[in-house]
Amino acid sequence: MDSKAHWLDRPRNVKRLWRGFLAVLVLAVLAQLAIMLHPHFAVEGVFGFAAWYGFGSCVLMIVAARLLGLWLKRPDDYYGDGDRHE
Amino acid sequence: MNEWVLHPGLVLIVGALALPWLRGSLRSTALLALPLLVLTLVWQVPDGAVWQLHFMDYTLTPLKGDKLSRLFATVFALMAFGGALFALRQRNRFEVPAAFVYAGSAIGVALAGDLVTVFVFWELMAVGSTVVLWCSGTQASYAASLRYLMVHLLGGVLLFAGVAGHIAQSGSVDFARMTLDSPSNGLILIGFLVNAAAPPLSAWLPDAYPEASWSGTVFLSAFTTKAAVYVLMRGFPGTELLIWVGLFMALYGILYALLENDMRRILSYSIVNQVGFMICGIGIGTEMALNGAAAHAFTHIIYKGLLLMSAGSVLYMTDRRKCSEFGGLFHSMPVTTLCGCIGALAISAFPLTSGFVSKSMIAQAAADQHLLAVWLLLAAGSAGVFLHAGIKFPWFVFFQKDSGLRPADPPASMRWAMIFFALLCVALGIWYEPLYALLPYSVDYRPYTGSHVVTQLQLLLFAGLAFFAMLRYMQRTLTITLDTDWLWRRLLPALARGCGVVIATSMAALHRFGLRLGRRLWSWVLRYHGPQGSIARTWATGSMALWVLVLLLGYLVLYYV
């Protein structure tokens, strides 16, 4: 196992995975041209709604979590439980 | 009424009491056979009241069947089986029996026809789960179990007060749909919500569950919150408040899970998030929404069990629990990695997994009721699930940078438990008709439309893009994030200490004041009554005769006036 690097460990393959992922993203958006969408709300009719809404809401949540962390983060021995994490 | 139908929950509880005395293969066989026996018994329970008994002036119905009850009892029994298979190598003799008492009580709640029975099994669940926590044997788990028990006993007291008030007012013990028109029904709702890990006491869940053993957390994840989902579904469907409580839980779970470093605490916050979806569905309250919430509870128990099994396997093999210590485990744990990823895809509601066919019904119900804000928040929540549980958990545990750790896959029993649940996650996602047939209302919903698959893929894949684009901000640090348990772990003890100081100081001041007062009183007494005091000292006979003369003269004068 250790003598030969796993195919996922090679930077070249990671780059390929990234490209493949981006291609899938584009395909997922383009797929909606081929399919009749059934929007329940007007906002859903905007092109690629689920894509940019998913991306935007996740960025927003990550930023919100960071802000929450600035306020509420503590070292993990805060409660003094010595064996809590070991 | 049929006394010959056995109560599946009681069978599991009584059977569990015999388990600690069994050894070897007999024990293993019993551990696996008992939940399967219970599963068949669940399906013997017919519709309507089965057991009835008279207690004081009331008719109790400890065993009552309908589709909703059987759905929850089925998945509880299934979970007891999967959990027992996973925990076959657990060396603590009492953990699985305690978990069976816990599971049997959850089945008891699901099959209860009256509020008194619900309450009895409710409290038994708290006892069983606390013992599961104790079996972990660490000091941290013992401390966490006491905090856990404290919250649940508080919830139990509120529930008991509510049930007593409800019975006194309505004269009926039946567990049926209630409205929020009286304080007692409000107390029942609060008691239910405490177990559902609703705010503000939600922190009990991520505080306690990750402290159980590698197998204990698998059991804990399944029963308490989902039994609460069941009772809310039976007692308070369509209560609008629950929509907002559920949405809050869904988003709160995501934010905290994003900040968390302990792998099982990530998954614990994710339980709160998932239960939030279910409670939101119960709040919407249409047949579609309730079907969705029930289906989601069913699939959730399985994929969350699977996720915690994969985390438990990692813990079992490495004895570590922080994401910051892991990475690259996929090299040496292929089965665990694959099963963990299937669980992660299922919780994210990826097409072809169980989450896809269940969660989407809740969103559909929100759309049918034209609740735009609810629908948008649910969609954001779905994207966020992929973020914190779908990618973050497997990425930081199994992939990311190579930590150099090379633990093997866990022993066979643990692998098979994971494979069994992983197969269920995929099978339910493809052949969803049997699940839909179990739901409380008839289902008129097709999950696999081109439109739904494409929009869901867009939502999830772009959530994934957000994760990897912002990976820099997701790196784990050795921190925890304060939650509401800070109130009872820091604030209340500090207040109690503060009160102690105030009381001690005022007692000391009172003591000093008392002493000063006493001294003053004594010196006053001495002044007048002491040996030289004006009242107590001996007087000369002459002055006595003089004063007597004065007195007599005064008397004479008064007599003539």
Side-chain angles (χ1 to χ4, degrees):
Chain A
M1 182 78 56
D2 286 321
S3 56
K4 195 168 140 273
H6 194 278
W7 65 271
L8 267 177
D9 290 329
R10 292 190 206 130
R12 200 160 52 104
N13 289 334
V14 173
K15 196 168 260 178
R16 273 186 196 158
L17 272 182
W18 257 108
R19 286 200 191 124
F21 180 51
L22 292 178
V24 170
L25 289 179
V26 174
L27 279 180
V29 176
L30 292 181
Q32 80 174 70
L33 296 174
I35 282 168
M36 271 289 283
L37 292 187
H38 313 287
H40 308 286
F41 302 103
V43 63
E44 259 188 291
V46 182
F47 183 74
F49 168 76
W52 60 258
Y53 183 74
F55 184 80
S57 57
C58 282
V59 170
L60 213 62
M61 279 186 275
I62 294 173
V63 172
R66 291 281 292 184
L67 293 178
L68 191 71
L70 287 180
W71 177 34
L72 292 174
K73 256 190 186 179
R74 296 289 183 277
D76 62 3
D77 54 359
Y78 174 78
Y79 286 116
D81 305 338
D83 57 347
R84 186 184 176 100
H85 292 279
E86 289 309 329
Chain B
M1 170 114 184
N2 186 347
E3 280 87 358
W4 297 108
V5 177
L6 287 173
H7 190 304
L10 286 181
V11 169
L12 192 52
I13 293 171
V14 172
L17 298 181
L19 284 173
W21 283 270
L22 300 181
R23 285 284 182 281
S25 57
L26 188 62
R27 175 173 187 272
S28 304
T29 315
L31 281 180
L32 298 180
L34 191 57
L36 291 179
L37 169 72
V38 169
L39 190 59
T40 42
L41 287 177
V42 167
W43 284 90
Q44 306 301 316
V45 177
D47 279 351
V50 185
W51 281 13
Q52 284 196 317
L53 55 96
H54 295 281
F55 175 68
M56 298 201 277
D57 287 340
Y58 302 106
T59 307
L60 302 187
T61 316
L63 184 59
K64 187 178 173 185
D66 67 4
K67 287 187 88 171
L68 184 63
S69 296
R70 269 195 301 271
L71 175 79
F72 276 85
T74 302
V75 71
F76 288 155
L78 206 58
M79 183 65 217
F81 173 76
L85 177 59
F86 185 72
L88 274 186
R89 296 179 68 92
Q90 174 57 253
R91 293 154 88 93
N92 187 303
R93 274 191 297 145
F94 296 99
E95 185 183 286
V96 180
F100 277 7
V101 170
Y102 178 32
S105 319
I107 293 174
V109 169
L111 294 171
D114 67 273
L115 286 165
V116 177
T117 311
V118 167
F119 176 77
V120 170
F121 281 120
W122 197 259
E123 293 301 291
L124 212 51
M125 272 170 56
V127 174
S129 50
T130 305
V131 177
V132 171
L133 272 170
W134 282 347
C135 289
S136 170
T138 62
Q139 208 182 346
S141 72
Y142 181 70
S145 75
L146 291 189
R147 293 191 293 272
Y148 171 86
L149 194 60
M150 180 190 77
V151 172
H152 285 276
L153 293 184
L154 174 70
V157 168
L158 294 174
L159 179 61
F160 186 83
V163 168
H166 176 85
I167 295 173
Q169 263 171 3
S170 67
S172 159
V173 294
D174 286 348
F175 181 27
R177 188 176 179 156
M178 289 169 269
T179 45
L180 278 181
D181 52 1
S182 69
S184 46
N185 287 359
L187 284 174
I188 294 179
L189 180 66
I190 294 172
F192 287 170
L193 282 174
V194 167
N195 271 24
L201 296 185
S202 50
W204 65 260
L205 193 156
D207 176 26
Y209 283 5
E211 299 306 326
S213 74
W214 52 270
S215 54
T217 308
V218 175
F219 287 110
L220 291 176
S221 73
F223 302 116
T224 302
T225 46
K226 261 60 74 183
V229 166
Y230 163 79
V231 290
L232 285 170
M233 198 175 289
R234 176 148 330 259
F236 297 95
T239 305
E240 198 195 326
L241 172 72
L242 293 180
I243 297 180
W244 305 108
V245 171
L247 287 174
F248 177 86
M249 289 168 67
L251 296 175
Y252 149 93
I254 293 171
L255 293 190
Y256 271 83
L258 284 175
L259 290 167
E260 194 47 61
N261 186 28
D262 182 315
M263 60 175 168
R264 291 192 299 170
R265 277 172 70 92
I266 295 176
L267 296 176
S268 299
Y269 276 116
S270 146
I271 297 177
V272 180
N273 157 275
Q274 295 290 304
V275 172
F277 283 110
M278 298 168 212
I279 289 186
C280 179
I282 297 170
I284 295 172
T286 59
E287 289 193 355
M288 171 77 86
L290 295 176
N291 272 342
H296 202 48
F298 191 99
T299 57
H300 167 83
I301 286 178
I302 294 168
Y303 59 65
K304 180 61 73 178
L306 174 60
L307 282 166
L308 282 165
M309 282 176 189
S310 70
S313 300
V314 172
L315 177 70
Y316 181 82
M317 298 305 294
T318 65
D319 219 15
R320 289 161 205 251
R321 47 195 285 183
K322 293 178 203 168
C323 282
S324 48
E325 297 176 335
F326 295 128
L329 294 187
F330 75 93
H331 288 105
S332 55
M333 302 183 88
V335 176
T336 313
T337 305
L338 181 66
C339 292
C341 287
I342 290 176
L345 290 177
I347 195 174
S348 312
F350 234 83
L352 300 183
T353 63
S354 55
F356 181 75
V357 303
S358 59
K359 195 202 284 174
S360 45
M361 269 193 275
I362 300 174
Q364 182 66 43
D368 290 345
Q369 298 302 107
H370 309 293
L371 303 167
L372 177 60
V374 176
W375 184 82
L376 283 174
L377 288 172
L378 282 174
S382 298
V385 173
F386 193 46
L387 205 59
H388 79 273
I391 309 183
K392 182 185 169 179
F393 165 72
W395 172 258
F396 280 109
V397 175
F398 298 114
F399 301 101
Q400 64 158 335
K401 59 167 194 348
D402 194 351
S403 63
L405 291 175
R406 288 291 184 273
D409 264 319
S413 56
M414 295 165 74
R415 286 204 305 272
W416 280 113
M418 285 192 283
I419 292 169
F420 172 53
F421 269 24
L423 285 177
L424 275 180
C425 283
V426 176
L428 285 171
I430 298 171
W431 298 284
Y432 49 86
E433 291 87 355
L435 173 64
Y436 282 7
L438 289 178
L439 297 180
Y441 304 101
S442 64
V443 182
D444 178 27
Y445 179 70
R446 282 177 48 234
Y448 289 102
T449 62
S451 161
H452 182 208
V453 171
V454 167
T455 49
Q456 182 73 2
L457 281 177
Q458 285 184 0
L459 189 77
L460 295 181
L461 292 172
F462 277 84
L465 179 66
F467 178 88
F468 287 110
M470 301 189 75
L471 197 54
R472 219 154 57 79
Y473 301 101
M474 308 284 293
Q475 287 309 331
R476 296 298 82 227
T477 49
L478 292 174
T479 51
I480 57 164
T481 311
L482 295 187
D483 200 341
T484 50
D485 57 342
W486 181 83
L487 295 176
W488 56 89
R489 298 177 75 175
R490 278 289 175 272
L491 183 65
L492 285 181
L495 279 181
R497 276 195 298 275
C499 286
V501 170
V502 169
I503 290 173
T505 339
S506 42
M507 285 303 284
L510 205 67
H511 186 232
R512 278 198 305 277
F513 175 73
L515 276 180
R516 252 200 332 262
L517 193 73
R519 273 196 217 105
R520 243 184 223 179
L521 208 66
W522 184 238
S523 63
W524 183 82
V525 167
L526 278 183
R527 191 161 144 214
Y528 292 102
H529 299 274
Q532 298 306 317
S534 51
I535 295 175
R537 67 169 178 251
T538 39
W539 290 8
T541 320
S543 65
M544 277 297 293
L546 178 70
W547 283 112
V548 170
L549 189 71
V550 170
L551 263 167
L552 289 176
L553 270 175
Y555 176 69
L556 207 63
V557 172
L558 283 173
Y559 185 78
Y560 284 107
V561 173

